[in-house]
Amino acid sequence: MNSGLSLADHITLELRADIIGGRLLPGMALVENDLVSAYNASRNTIREALHRLGQEGLTRYVRNKGVMVRRLGVDDVRDLFKVRRTLELQAISASQPLREYQSDRMLEALEATELAREREDWRAVGTHSLAFHQHIVGLLRSPLFDEFFTNVVAQLRLVFCTAPDESRFQAPWLARDRQIHDLLTDGDKRAAGDAMSLYLDDSEHLLLQMLAPSSHH
């Protein structure tokens, strides 16, 4: 951890990591007293961390209930995929042939996804798949984009959790992630970009289908 970060920074990062890891799910309450005890922090520090998570679109304040992990809807999904197309397709378009360390990072994420799929741990499958896409954005070599996309990933994770059948949603993507990695390794940016574009179209479409019944009040 960066020692230059405040305690509120660390708590924010840890809670966001719990969202990305699927340990904090949509609708869960973030109880101030529990967090004070868990992090041995002051109420003001906890409130600051929760406020930041709210600014990142990961929590919301619900009257008489307090701070809850946010549930995202159809409009949120469309916006998230607009961002994904902008960053991931640009990252591929502007990329150089993969360096060994870049390929290794992607392969580690793919192997972790494979192991999680063998265990039928579909929540972990989604988390590791998103890590692969973080490495795609990492090709832009921009710490600002990396940080921004980590927040996008956290919001996507909240969407995945609301899929009625997460196994059905997660099952198709590993082979397609591998294909994108292999095309990048071969230096075929155009084919990799086309594969990613189709991937994002299909992923968005499936999520919107899954969310549609619950999006009508």
Side-chain angles (χ1 to χ4, degrees):
M1 283 189 179
N2 184 343
S3 59
L5 297 179
S6 69
L7 181 56
D9 292 330
H10 284 306
I11 294 169
T12 304
L13 291 174
E14 286 195 25
L15 291 172
R16 188 170 68 183
D18 284 342
I19 288 172
I20 293 172
R23 295 177 290 278
L24 284 175
L25 304 176
M28 280 188 174
L30 293 171
V31 181
E32 196 175 284
N33 286 343
D34 294 347
L35 295 172
V36 166
S37 299
Y39 289 102
N40 192 25
S42 70
R43 289 187 181 278
N44 282 343
T45 299
I46 294 301
R47 286 171 184 165
E48 184 179 348
L50 293 177
H51 177 67
R52 291 182 191 177
L53 289 173
Q55 289 180 316
E56 293 179 2
L58 301 177
T59 62
R60 59 192 289 260
Y61 178 79
V62 180
R63 191 173 180 183
N64 298 326
K65 291 187 178 180
V67 176
M68 315 281 286
V69 180
R70 191 165 158 241
R71 295 184 189 276
L72 281 77
V74 168
D75 289 343
D76 299 303
V77 170
R78 291 196 177 104
D79 200 25
L80 287 167
F81 274 83
K82 191 179 295 182
V83 170
R84 290 191 73 177
R85 288 186 183 89
T86 301
L87 290 183
E88 295 191 60
L89 296 179
Q90 174 62 22
I92 289 173
S93 174
S95 68
Q96 302 298 316
L98 286 189
R99 295 187 178 184
E100 186 175 352
Y101 78 91
Q102 293 170 321
S103 175
D104 286 347
R105 286 175 181 171
M106 291 182 191
L107 287 172
E108 284 174 13
L110 292 171
E111 287 161 14
T113 308
E114 181 75 60
L115 289 170
R117 190 171 72 168
E118 288 172 7
R119 297 194 309 269
E120 296 189 357
D121 184 351
W122 297 107
R123 192 163 292 166
V125 167
T127 297
H128 294 307
S129 177
L130 286 169
F132 172 80
H133 290 267
Q134 285 178 284
H135 295 316
I136 293 288
V137 172
L139 297 175
L140 289 167
R141 299 185 187 180
S142 164
L144 283 173
F145 277 143
D146 289 343
E147 171 66 18
F148 173 72
F149 195 67
T150 300
N151 180 44
V152 170
V153 161
Q155 292 192 46
L156 284 164
R157 198 69 197 75
L158 292 177
V159 177
F160 293 172
C161 290
T162 61
D165 182 353
E166 195 164 358
S167 62
R168 174 174 163 248
F169 174 70
Q170 294 295 349
W173 310 117
L174 177 58
R176 296 174 72 167
D177 283 339
R178 283 195 183 281
Q179 178 195 27
I180 291 166
H181 166 266
D182 293 347
L183 289 168
L184 287 170
T185 302
D186 293 341
D188 193 343
K189 292 196 295 186
R190 175 170 291 185
D194 289 346
M196 179 64 82
S197 183
L198 185 59
Y199 178 112
L200 293 174
D201 287 349
D202 291 346
S203 179
E204 180 184 23
H205 179 69
L206 188 52
L207 276 173
L208 290 174
Q209 268 190 325
M210 287 180 170
L211 287 177
S214 62
S215 67
H216 301 299
H217 299 292

